[in-house]
Amino acid sequence: NIIKEPTDLLIYSSDGYGVRVRSEDVREASKTAMGSIVYRLKDNSKVIGCEEISPKDKGMMIITSKGNAKLCELTNFPLSENGNPLILIKLNKAECIEVIKCVKGKEQFSLFMRSGVFNIAVEDLGKPMPRLAKGVKTVPIRKGDKIVKIM
C-alpha cells in the first residue's frame, strides 16, 4: 500500500472547495484504471492538492493567491460519504487557493515565492475562523507573484 496506516485526506481545488475522505476510500489501482470517484468537482474546477491529516493535527491553514490566510478547526470539515465538497474558504473574484497545510498549533512555515521567502507562524493567524470566512490579508503576495512551495 502507498499509505501505510489508514488516515484522512483533505483533497482540495483552487475554487475554495474541498472534501475530507478516508485513505481507504482511495483504492490503489493500475496506471490504466479510471480510479475512485471521491470528489465531485464543479464545472471548470480542478484538484490542486491533497493534504494528509495526522491524528495530532488540530486545524488547517489556508492561503490564497491574494495573500489572505485563515486558520480553521478540522472539526468543521467532517468526512464526506458522497464526494460532495464543502466550501473551505470564501474567495473574492480572481482569487484562488494557493496552499493548504494541516497544523498542530504552533508551527512556523516558510513560503517560497517567486519574489522571495516569507515566514509565517500559525500563532500569528489568531483564533480559528468559521468555515465560510474569507481570511485576513497576511502574506505579501504582489501581482504576478506566486507561492511555489511551503515548508
Side-chain angles (χ1 to χ4, degrees):
N1 284 345
I2 295 169
I3 299 176
K4 304 289 184 231
E5 294 180 26
T7 186
D8 289 354
L9 303 171
L10 178 69
I11 303 168
Y12 58 95
S13 58
S14 60
D15 62 356
Y17 287 84
V19 65
R20 184 175 179 172
V21 297
R22 290 183 183 90
S23 60
E24 306 92 82
D25 294 342
V26 183
R27 294 180 299 279
E28 194 170 341
S30 70
K31 64 181 177 181
T32 58
M34 183 179 132
S36 307
I37 297 174
V38 294
Y39 189 154
R40 300 191 187 290
L41 290 167
K42 300 198 178 298
D43 291 341
N44 300 320
S45 182
K46 62 182 179 180
V47 170
I48 61 164
C50 179
E51 184 71 14
E52 186 176 346
I53 301 172
S54 152
K56 294 180 182 176
D57 289 331
K58 291 184 173 47
M60 69 173 138
M61 176 177 65
I62 304 171
I63 301 174
T64 73
S65 58
K66 301 282 186 186
N68 293 322
K70 80 172 189 175
L71 184 63
C72 290
E73 293 178 344
L74 284 172
T75 54
N76 290 334
F77 304 97
L79 284 166
S80 173
E81 299 299 329
N82 56 12
N84 290 329
L86 291 172
I87 294 175
L88 303 177
I89 187 169
K90 192 167 184 177
L91 299 170
N92 296 316
K93 284 189 177 187
E95 183 177 27
C96 62
I97 291 178
E98 282 287 319
V99 69
I100 292 181
K101 192 76 174 160
C102 288
V103 297
K104 292 162 189 57
K106 297 194 180 226
E107 300 98 324
Q108 268 202 319
F109 296 99
S110 293
L111 296 174
F112 294 87
M113 301 183 290
R114 291 178 182 161
S115 63
V117 179
F118 180 78
N119 293 314
I120 186 168
V122 173
E123 295 171 317
D124 294 342
L125 296 176
K127 293 182 181 179
M129 295 182 176
R131 190 169 58 83
L132 298 175
K134 283 188 174 185
V136 178
K137 181 72 173 175
T138 307
V139 181
I141 297 178
R142 296 184 197 104
K143 190 173 182 173
D145 206 358
K146 184 167 179 53
I147 297 173
V148 179
K149 186 162 181 83
I150 182 169
M151 292 175 59

PDB file of all heavy atoms in Angstrom, residues 1-36:
ATOM      1  N   ASN A   1       0.822  -1.199   0.000  1.00  0.00           N
ATOM      2  CA  ASN A   1       0.000   0.000   0.000  1.00  0.00           C
ATOM      3  C   ASN A   1       0.861   1.255   0.000  1.00  0.00           C
ATOM      4  O   ASN A   1       1.913   1.295   0.613  1.00  0.00           O
ATOM      5  CB  ASN A   1      -0.910   0.025   1.217  1.00  0.00           C
ATOM      6  CG  ASN A   1      -2.080  -0.924   1.081  1.00  0.00           C
ATOM      7  OD1 ASN A   1      -2.378  -1.398  -0.004  1.00  0.00           O
ATOM      8  ND2 ASN A   1      -2.727  -1.196   2.190  1.00  0.00           N
ATOM      9  N   ILE A   2       0.373   2.283  -0.644  1.00  0.00           N
ATOM     10  CA  ILE A   2       1.088   3.552  -0.706  1.00  0.00           C
ATOM     11  C   ILE A   2       1.019   4.259   0.638  1.00  0.00           C
ATOM     12  O   ILE A   2       2.000   4.788   1.130  1.00  0.00           O
ATOM     13  CB  ILE A   2       0.503   4.437  -1.830  1.00  0.00           C
ATOM     14  CG1 ILE A   2       0.747   3.766  -3.175  1.00  0.00           C
ATOM     15  CG2 ILE A   2       1.099   5.819  -1.799  1.00  0.00           C
ATOM     16  CD1 ILE A   2       0.012   4.398  -4.324  1.00  0.00           C
ATOM     17  N   ILE A   3      -0.160   4.267   1.257  1.00  0.00           N
ATOM     18  CA  ILE A   3      -0.343   4.871   2.577  1.00  0.00           C
ATOM     19  C   ILE A   3      -0.282   3.758   3.603  1.00  0.00           C
ATOM     20  O   ILE A   3      -1.080   2.824   3.569  1.00  0.00           O
ATOM     21  CB  ILE A   3      -1.678   5.648   2.650  1.00  0.00           C
ATOM     22  CG1 ILE A   3      -1.664   6.775   1.614  1.00  0.00           C
ATOM     23  CG2 ILE A   3      -1.912   6.193   4.045  1.00  0.00           C
ATOM     24  CD1 ILE A   3      -2.946   7.553   1.514  1.00  0.00           C
ATOM     25  N   LYS A   4       0.685   3.847   4.495  1.00  0.00           N
ATOM     26  CA  LYS A   4       0.970   2.758   5.436  1.00  0.00           C
ATOM     27  C   LYS A   4      -0.159   2.521   6.440  1.00  0.00           C
ATOM     28  O   LYS A   4      -0.558   1.406   6.686  1.00  0.00           O
ATOM     29  CB  LYS A   4       2.271   3.042   6.193  1.00  0.00           C
ATOM     30  CG  LYS A   4       3.472   3.260   5.294  1.00  0.00           C
ATOM     31  CD  LYS A   4       3.915   1.992   4.633  1.00  0.00           C
ATOM     32  CE  LYS A   4       5.155   2.218   3.818  1.00  0.00           C
ATOM     33  NZ  LYS A   4       5.085   1.751   2.472  1.00  0.00           N
ATOM     34  N   GLU A   5      -0.661   3.592   7.070  1.00  0.00           N
ATOM     35  CA  GLU A   5      -1.721   3.462   8.067  1.00  0.00           C
ATOM     36  C   GLU A   5      -2.945   4.231   7.591  1.00  0.00           C
ATOM     37  O   GLU A   5      -2.814   5.281   6.981  1.00  0.00           O
ATOM     38  CB  GLU A   5      -1.254   4.043   9.409  1.00  0.00           C
ATOM     39  CG  GLU A   5      -0.118   3.278  10.029  1.00  0.00           C
ATOM     40  CD  GLU A   5       0.305   3.879  11.362  1.00  0.00           C
ATOM     41  OE1 GLU A   5      -0.529   4.518  12.024  1.00  0.00           O
ATOM     42  OE2 GLU A   5       1.476   3.708  11.723  1.00  0.00           O
ATOM     43  N   PRO A   6      -4.149   3.721   7.869  1.00  0.00           N
ATOM     44  CA  PRO A   6      -5.351   4.458   7.476  1.00  0.00           C
ATOM     45  C   PRO A   6      -5.351   5.873   8.079  1.00  0.00           C
ATOM     46  O   PRO A   6      -4.997   6.056   9.242  1.00  0.00           O
ATOM     47  CB  PRO A   6      -6.484   3.624   8.055  1.00  0.00           C
ATOM     48  CG  PRO A   6      -5.905   2.268   8.263  1.00  0.00           C
ATOM     49  CD  PRO A   6      -4.446   2.484   8.553  1.00  0.00           C
ATOM     50  N   THR A   7      -5.696   6.826   7.280  1.00  0.00           N
ATOM     51  CA  THR A   7      -5.715   8.217   7.716  1.00  0.00           C
ATOM     52  C   THR A   7      -6.788   8.955   6.922  1.00  0.00           C
ATOM     53  O   THR A   7      -7.371   8.396   6.005  1.00  0.00           O
ATOM     54  CB  THR A   7      -4.327   8.864   7.522  1.00  0.00           C
ATOM     55  OG1 THR A   7      -4.331  10.164   8.079  1.00  0.00           O
ATOM     56  CG2 THR A   7      -3.936   8.960   6.069  1.00  0.00           C
ATOM     57  N   ASP A   8      -7.025  10.201   7.262  1.00  0.00           N
ATOM     58  CA  ASP A   8      -7.937  11.034   6.477  1.00  0.00           C
ATOM     59  C   ASP A   8      -7.118  11.885   5.526  1.00  0.00           C
ATOM     60  O   ASP A   8      -5.983  12.259   5.812  1.00  0.00           O
ATOM     61  CB  ASP A   8      -8.759  11.955   7.384  1.00  0.00           C
ATOM     62  CG  ASP A   8      -9.805  11.202   8.194  1.00  0.00           C
ATOM     63  OD1 ASP A   8      -9.973   9.984   7.979  1.00  0.00           O
ATOM     64  OD2 ASP A   8     -10.442  11.828   9.052  1.00  0.00           O
ATOM     65  N   LEU A   9      -7.718  12.215   4.382  1.00  0.00           N
ATOM     66  CA  LEU A   9      -7.091  13.070   3.385  1.00  0.00           C
ATOM     67  C   LEU A   9      -8.013  14.249   3.116  1.00  0.00           C
ATOM     68  O   LEU A   9      -9.234  14.094   3.081  1.00  0.00           O
ATOM     69  CB  LEU A   9      -6.879  12.304   2.070  1.00  0.00           C
ATOM     70  CG  LEU A   9      -6.055  11.030   2.138  1.00  0.00           C
ATOM     71  CD1 LEU A   9      -6.129  10.282   0.810  1.00  0.00           C
ATOM     72  CD2 LEU A   9      -4.618  11.345   2.490  1.00  0.00           C
ATOM     73  N   LEU A  10      -7.440  15.427   2.919  1.00  0.00           N
ATOM     74  CA  LEU A  10      -8.189  16.597   2.502  1.00  0.00           C
ATOM     75  C   LEU A  10      -7.785  16.883   1.059  1.00  0.00           C
ATOM     76  O   LEU A  10      -6.641  17.230   0.792  1.00  0.00           O
ATOM     77  CB  LEU A  10      -7.878  17.802   3.390  1.00  0.00           C
ATOM     78  CG  LEU A  10      -8.598  19.079   2.981  1.00  0.00           C
ATOM     79  CD1 LEU A  10     -10.094  18.955   3.249  1.00  0.00           C
ATOM     80  CD2 LEU A  10      -8.043  20.276   3.701  1.00  0.00           C
ATOM     81  N   ILE A  11      -8.715  16.675   0.139  1.00  0.00           N
ATOM     82  CA  ILE A  11      -8.466  16.918  -1.273  1.00  0.00           C
ATOM     83  C   ILE A  11      -9.142  18.238  -1.609  1.00  0.00           C
ATOM     84  O   ILE A  11     -10.311  18.443  -1.275  1.00  0.00           O
ATOM     85  CB  ILE A  11      -9.036  15.769  -2.132  1.00  0.00           C
ATOM     86  CG1 ILE A  11      -8.420  14.438  -1.686  1.00  0.00           C
ATOM     87  CG2 ILE A  11      -8.781  16.018  -3.615  1.00  0.00           C
ATOM     88  CD1 ILE A  11      -9.111  13.212  -2.258  1.00  0.00           C
ATOM     89  N   TYR A  12      -8.403  19.161  -2.245  1.00  0.00           N
ATOM     90  CA  TYR A  12      -8.967  20.488  -2.463  1.00  0.00           C
ATOM     91  C   TYR A  12      -8.706  21.016  -3.868  1.00  0.00           C
ATOM     92  O   TYR A  12      -7.801  20.580  -4.558  1.00  0.00           O
ATOM     93  CB  TYR A  12      -8.458  21.481  -1.415  1.00  0.00           C
ATOM     94  CG  TYR A  12      -6.969  21.652  -1.343  1.00  0.00           C
ATOM     95  CD1 TYR A  12      -6.334  22.679  -2.020  1.00  0.00           C
ATOM     96  CD2 TYR A  12      -6.177  20.791  -0.581  1.00  0.00           C
ATOM     97  CE1 TYR A  12      -4.960  22.849  -1.948  1.00  0.00           C
ATOM     98  CE2 TYR A  12      -4.804  20.956  -0.501  1.00  0.00           C
ATOM     99  CZ  TYR A  12      -4.204  21.984  -1.188  1.00  0.00           C
ATOM    100  OH  TYR A  12      -2.849  22.146  -1.114  1.00  0.00           O
ATOM    101  N   SER A  13      -9.584  21.951  -4.251  1.00  0.00           N
ATOM    102  CA  SER A  13      -9.485  22.577  -5.567  1.00  0.00           C
ATOM    103  C   SER A  13      -9.211  24.061  -5.405  1.00  0.00           C
ATOM    104  O   SER A  13      -9.394  24.631  -4.329  1.00  0.00           O
ATOM    105  CB  SER A  13     -10.780  22.345  -6.358  1.00  0.00           C
ATOM    106  OG  SER A  13     -11.882  22.852  -5.651  1.00  0.00           O
ATOM    107  N   SER A  14      -8.794  24.693  -6.487  1.00  0.00           N
ATOM    108  CA  SER A  14      -8.411  26.103  -6.440  1.00  0.00           C
ATOM    109  C   SER A  14      -9.593  27.024  -6.167  1.00  0.00           C
ATOM    110  O   SER A  14      -9.420  28.139  -5.703  1.00  0.00           O
ATOM    111  CB  SER A  14      -7.742  26.512  -7.746  1.00  0.00           C
ATOM    112  OG  SER A  14      -8.630  26.312  -8.824  1.00  0.00           O
ATOM    113  N   ASP A  15     -10.822  26.556  -6.416  1.00  0.00           N
ATOM    114  CA  ASP A  15     -12.002  27.406  -6.277  1.00  0.00           C
ATOM    115  C   ASP A  15     -12.557  27.500  -4.853  1.00  0.00           C
ATOM    116  O   ASP A  15     -13.642  28.029  -4.647  1.00  0.00           O
ATOM    117  CB  ASP A  15     -13.097  26.973  -7.246  1.00  0.00           C
ATOM    118  CG  ASP A  15     -13.595  25.554  -7.001  1.00  0.00           C
ATOM    119  OD1 ASP A  15     -13.049  24.860  -6.118  1.00  0.00           O
ATOM    120  OD2 ASP A  15     -14.523  25.127  -7.709  1.00  0.00           O
ATOM    121  N   GLY A  16     -11.806  27.002  -3.870  1.00  0.00           N
ATOM    122  CA  GLY A  16     -12.206  27.161  -2.475  1.00  0.00           C
ATOM    123  C   GLY A  16     -12.973  25.998  -1.880  1.00  0.00           C
ATOM    124  O   GLY A  16     -13.443  26.077  -0.751  1.00  0.00           O
ATOM    125  N   TYR A  17     -13.104  24.909  -2.617  1.00  0.00           N
ATOM    126  CA  TYR A  17     -13.838  23.742  -2.143  1.00  0.00           C
ATOM    127  C   TYR A  17     -12.876  22.603  -1.817  1.00  0.00           C
ATOM    128  O   TYR A  17     -11.766  22.538  -2.328  1.00  0.00           O
ATOM    129  CB  TYR A  17     -14.831  23.268  -3.200  1.00  0.00           C
ATOM    130  CG  TYR A  17     -16.025  24.168  -3.352  1.00  0.00           C
ATOM    131  CD1 TYR A  17     -15.968  25.302  -4.152  1.00  0.00           C
ATOM    132  CD2 TYR A  17     -17.217  23.884  -2.693  1.00  0.00           C
ATOM    133  CE1 TYR A  17     -17.065  26.138  -4.292  1.00  0.00           C
ATOM    134  CE2 TYR A  17     -18.315  24.717  -2.824  1.00  0.00           C
ATOM    135  CZ  TYR A  17     -18.240  25.835  -3.626  1.00  0.00           C
ATOM    136  OH  TYR A  17     -19.325  26.661  -3.752  1.00  0.00           O
ATOM    137  N   GLY A  18     -13.357  21.686  -0.982  1.00  0.00           N
ATOM    138  CA  GLY A  18     -12.556  20.516  -0.657  1.00  0.00           C
ATOM    139  C   GLY A  18     -13.419  19.420  -0.078  1.00  0.00           C
ATOM    140  O   GLY A  18     -14.578  19.639   0.289  1.00  0.00           O
ATOM    141  N   VAL A  19     -12.849  18.249   0.021  1.00  0.00           N
ATOM    142  CA  VAL A  19     -13.560  17.102   0.572  1.00  0.00           C
ATOM    143  C   VAL A  19     -12.601  16.318   1.454  1.00  0.00           C
ATOM    144  O   VAL A  19     -11.409  16.199   1.156  1.00  0.00           O
ATOM    145  CB  VAL A  19     -14.156  16.235  -0.574  1.00  0.00           C
ATOM    146  CG1 VAL A  19     -13.076  15.610  -1.422  1.00  0.00           C
ATOM    147  CG2 VAL A  19     -15.079  15.174  -0.038  1.00  0.00           C
ATOM    148  N   ARG A  20     -13.112  15.844   2.575  1.00  0.00           N
ATOM    149  CA  ARG A  20     -12.316  15.017   3.503  1.00  0.00           C
ATOM    150  C   ARG A  20     -12.772  13.579   3.335  1.00  0.00           C
ATOM    151  O   ARG A  20     -13.955  13.269   3.464  1.00  0.00           O
ATOM    152  CB  ARG A  20     -12.544  15.494   4.933  1.00  0.00           C
ATOM    153  CG  ARG A  20     -11.703  14.764   5.953  1.00  0.00           C
ATOM    154  CD  ARG A  20     -11.892  15.378   7.327  1.00  0.00           C
ATOM    155  NE  ARG A  20     -11.119  14.696   8.330  1.00  0.00           N
ATOM    156  CZ  ARG A  20     -10.992  15.115   9.577  1.00  0.00           C
ATOM    157  NH1 ARG A  20     -11.595  16.235   9.965  1.00  0.00           N
ATOM    158  NH2 ARG A  20     -10.266  14.448  10.435  1.00  0.00           N
ATOM    159  N   VAL A  21     -11.818  12.704   3.021  1.00  0.00           N
ATOM    160  CA  VAL A  21     -12.126  11.289   2.795  1.00  0.00           C
ATOM    161  C   VAL A  21     -11.152  10.415   3.576  1.00  0.00           C
ATOM    162  O   VAL A  21     -10.079  10.863   3.971  1.00  0.00           O
ATOM    163  CB  VAL A  21     -12.063  10.926   1.284  1.00  0.00           C
ATOM    164  CG1 VAL A  21     -13.107  11.684   0.494  1.00  0.00           C
ATOM    165  CG2 VAL A  21     -10.679  11.144   0.719  1.00  0.00           C
ATOM    166  N   ARG A  22     -11.550   9.171   3.758  1.00  0.00           N
ATOM    167  CA  ARG A  22     -10.648   8.191   4.374  1.00  0.00           C
ATOM    168  C   ARG A  22      -9.685   7.690   3.304  1.00  0.00           C
ATOM    169  O   ARG A  22     -10.080   7.497   2.146  1.00  0.00           O
ATOM    170  CB  ARG A  22     -11.446   7.014   4.923  1.00  0.00           C
ATOM    171  CG  ARG A  22     -12.282   7.337   6.115  1.00  0.00           C
ATOM    172  CD  ARG A  22     -12.985   6.055   6.615  1.00  0.00           C
ATOM    173  NE  ARG A  22     -13.838   6.380   7.726  1.00  0.00           N
ATOM    174  CZ  ARG A  22     -15.117   6.734   7.612  1.00  0.00           C
ATOM    175  NH1 ARG A  22     -15.691   6.774   6.422  1.00  0.00           N
ATOM    176  NH2 ARG A  22     -15.829   7.022   8.684  1.00  0.00           N
ATOM    177  N   SER A  23      -8.441   7.458   3.689  1.00  0.00           N
ATOM    178  CA  SER A  23      -7.459   6.970   2.708  1.00  0.00           C
ATOM    179  C   SER A  23      -7.883   5.629   2.123  1.00  0.00           C
ATOM    180  O   SER A  23      -7.592   5.341   0.967  1.00  0.00           O
ATOM    181  CB  SER A  23      -6.074   6.875   3.347  1.00  0.00           C
ATOM    182  OG  SER A  23      -6.100   5.982   4.444  1.00  0.00           O
ATOM    183  N   GLU A  24      -8.623   4.829   2.882  1.00  0.00           N
ATOM    184  CA  GLU A  24      -9.074   3.519   2.385  1.00  0.00           C
ATOM    185  C   GLU A  24     -10.080   3.676   1.235  1.00  0.00           C
ATOM    186  O   GLU A  24     -10.278   2.759   0.450  1.00  0.00           O
ATOM    187  CB  GLU A  24      -9.765   2.693   3.475  1.00  0.00           C
ATOM    188  CG  GLU A  24      -8.987   2.478   4.748  1.00  0.00           C
ATOM    189  CD  GLU A  24      -9.293   3.545   5.785  1.00  0.00           C
ATOM    190  OE1 GLU A  24     -10.296   3.465   6.504  1.00  0.00           O
ATOM    191  OE2 GLU A  24      -8.474   4.471   5.883  1.00  0.00           O
ATOM    192  N   ASP A  25     -10.743   4.844   1.150  1.00  0.00           N
ATOM    193  CA  ASP A  25     -11.714   5.080   0.075  1.00  0.00           C
ATOM    194  C   ASP A  25     -11.031   5.357  -1.261  1.00  0.00           C
ATOM    195  O   ASP A  25     -11.680   5.327  -2.307  1.00  0.00           O
ATOM    196  CB  ASP A  25     -12.631   6.253   0.425  1.00  0.00           C
ATOM    197  CG  ASP A  25     -13.518   5.944   1.624  1.00  0.00           C
ATOM    198  OD1 ASP A  25     -13.671   4.744   1.959  1.00  0.00           O
ATOM    199  OD2 ASP A  25     -14.040   6.891   2.234  1.00  0.00           O
ATOM    200  N   VAL A  26      -9.734   5.660  -1.224  1.00  0.00           N
ATOM    201  CA  VAL A  26      -8.964   5.880  -2.440  1.00  0.00           C
ATOM    202  C   VAL A  26      -8.182   4.595  -2.681  1.00  0.00           C
ATOM    203  O   VAL A  26      -7.128   4.377  -2.111  1.00  0.00           O
ATOM    204  CB  VAL A  26      -8.007   7.095  -2.303  1.00  0.00           C
ATOM    205  CG1 VAL A  26      -7.267   7.344  -3.601  1.00  0.00           C
ATOM    206  CG2 VAL A  26      -8.762   8.324  -1.846  1.00  0.00           C
ATOM    207  N   ARG A  27      -8.750   3.741  -3.496  1.00  0.00           N
ATOM    208  CA  ARG A  27      -8.161   2.416  -3.709  1.00  0.00           C
ATOM    209  C   ARG A  27      -6.962   2.484  -4.648  1.00  0.00           C
ATOM    210  O   ARG A  27      -6.944   3.271  -5.598  1.00  0.00           O
ATOM    211  CB  ARG A  27      -9.214   1.474  -4.284  1.00  0.00           C
ATOM    212  CG  ARG A  27     -10.346   1.199  -3.295  1.00  0.00           C
ATOM    213  CD  ARG A  27     -11.378   0.253  -3.877  1.00  0.00           C
ATOM    214  NE  ARG A  27     -12.050   0.736  -5.073  1.00  0.00           N
ATOM    215  CZ  ARG A  27     -13.067   1.589  -5.066  1.00  0.00           C
ATOM    216  NH1 ARG A  27     -13.514   2.070  -3.937  1.00  0.00           N
ATOM    217  NH2 ARG A  27     -13.638   1.958  -6.196  1.00  0.00           N
ATOM    218  N   GLU A  28      -5.979   1.648  -4.359  1.00  0.00           N
ATOM    219  CA  GLU A  28      -4.814   1.533  -5.235  1.00  0.00           C
ATOM    220  C   GLU A  28      -5.261   0.866  -6.534  1.00  0.00           C
ATOM    221  O   GLU A  28      -6.058  -0.072  -6.515  1.00  0.00           O
ATOM    222  CB  GLU A  28      -3.747   0.687  -4.537  1.00  0.00           C
ATOM    223  CG  GLU A  28      -2.404   0.763  -5.180  1.00  0.00           C
ATOM    224  CD  GLU A  28      -1.322   0.122  -4.327  1.00  0.00           C
ATOM    225  OE1 GLU A  28      -1.511  -0.066  -3.126  1.00  0.00           O
ATOM    226  OE2 GLU A  28      -0.267  -0.183  -4.912  1.00  0.00           O
ATOM    227  N   ALA A  29      -4.783   1.386  -7.667  1.00  0.00           N
ATOM    228  CA  ALA A  29      -5.199   0.866  -8.963  1.00  0.00           C
ATOM    229  C   ALA A  29      -4.024   0.870  -9.929  1.00  0.00           C
ATOM    230  O   ALA A  29      -3.004   1.497  -9.684  1.00  0.00           O
ATOM    231  CB  ALA A  29      -6.331   1.730  -9.512  1.00  0.00           C
ATOM    232  N   SER A  30      -4.211   0.190 -11.041  1.00  0.00           N
ATOM    233  CA  SER A  30      -3.165   0.165 -12.071  1.00  0.00           C
ATOM    234  C   SER A  30      -3.112   1.514 -12.779  1.00  0.00           C
ATOM    235  O   SER A  30      -4.025   2.322 -12.670  1.00  0.00           O
ATOM    236  CB  SER A  30      -3.457  -0.950 -13.083  1.00  0.00           C
ATOM    237  OG  SER A  30      -4.580  -0.597 -13.865  1.00  0.00           O
ATOM    238  N   LYS A  31      -2.056   1.739 -13.548  1.00  0.00           N
ATOM    239  CA  LYS A  31      -1.888   3.033 -14.208  1.00  0.00           C
ATOM    240  C   LYS A  31      -2.917   3.279 -15.304  1.00  0.00           C
ATOM    241  O   LYS A  31      -3.131   4.407 -15.709  1.00  0.00           O
ATOM    242  CB  LYS A  31      -0.469   3.183 -14.753  1.00  0.00           C
ATOM    243  CG  LYS A  31      -0.119   2.200 -15.843  1.00  0.00           C
ATOM    244  CD  LYS A  31       1.308   2.396 -16.303  1.00  0.00           C
ATOM    245  CE  LYS A  31       1.684   1.362 -17.345  1.00  0.00           C
ATOM    246  NZ  LYS A  31       3.039   1.516 -17.794  1.00  0.00           N
ATOM    247  N   THR A  32      -3.598   2.246 -15.779  1.00  0.00           N
ATOM    248  CA  THR A  32      -4.614   2.433 -16.815  1.00  0.00           C
ATOM    249  C   THR A  32      -6.034   2.453 -16.255  1.00  0.00           C
ATOM    250  O   THR A  32      -6.983   2.684 -16.985  1.00  0.00           O
ATOM    251  CB  THR A  32      -4.507   1.312 -17.871  1.00  0.00           C
ATOM    252  OG1 THR A  32      -4.660   0.057 -17.208  1.00  0.00           O
ATOM    253  CG2 THR A  32      -3.185   1.382 -18.608  1.00  0.00           C
ATOM    254  N   ALA A  33      -6.181   2.240 -14.955  1.00  0.00           N
ATOM    255  CA  ALA A  33      -7.512   2.222 -14.337  1.00  0.00           C
ATOM    256  C   ALA A  33      -8.077   3.633 -14.209  1.00  0.00           C
ATOM    257  O   ALA A  33      -7.336   4.616 -14.130  1.00  0.00           O
ATOM    258  CB  ALA A  33      -7.434   1.570 -12.964  1.00  0.00           C
ATOM    259  N   MET A  34      -9.404   3.737 -14.168  1.00  0.00           N
ATOM    260  CA  MET A  34     -10.068   5.030 -14.033  1.00  0.00           C
ATOM    261  C   MET A  34      -9.854   5.630 -12.642  1.00  0.00           C
ATOM    262  O   MET A  34      -9.757   6.832 -12.492  1.00  0.00           O
ATOM    263  CB  MET A  34     -11.563   4.874 -14.291  1.00  0.00           C
ATOM    264  CG  MET A  34     -12.318   6.179 -14.237  1.00  0.00           C
ATOM    265  SD  MET A  34     -14.036   5.892 -14.576  1.00  0.00           S
ATOM    266  CE  MET A  34     -14.769   6.796 -13.246  1.00  0.00           C
ATOM    267  N   GLY A  35      -9.800   4.801 -11.625  1.00  0.00           N
ATOM    268  CA  GLY A  35      -9.617   5.302 -10.268  1.00  0.00           C
ATOM    269  C   GLY A  35     -10.924   5.359  -9.511  1.00  0.00           C
ATOM    270  O   GLY A  35     -11.970   4.953  -9.997  1.00  0.00           O
ATOM    271  N   SER A  36     -10.881   5.914  -8.301  1.00  0.00           N
ATOM    272  CA  SER A  36     -12.052   6.026  -7.436  1.00  0.00           C
ATOM    273  C   SER A  36     -12.594   7.443  -7.495  1.00  0.00           C
ATOM    274  O   SER A  36     -11.830   8.399  -7.438  1.00  0.00           O
ATOM    275  CB  SER A  36     -11.660   5.731  -5.983  1.00  0.00           C
ATOM    276  OG  SER A  36     -11.002   4.513  -5.881  1.00  0.00           O
TER     277      SER A  36
END
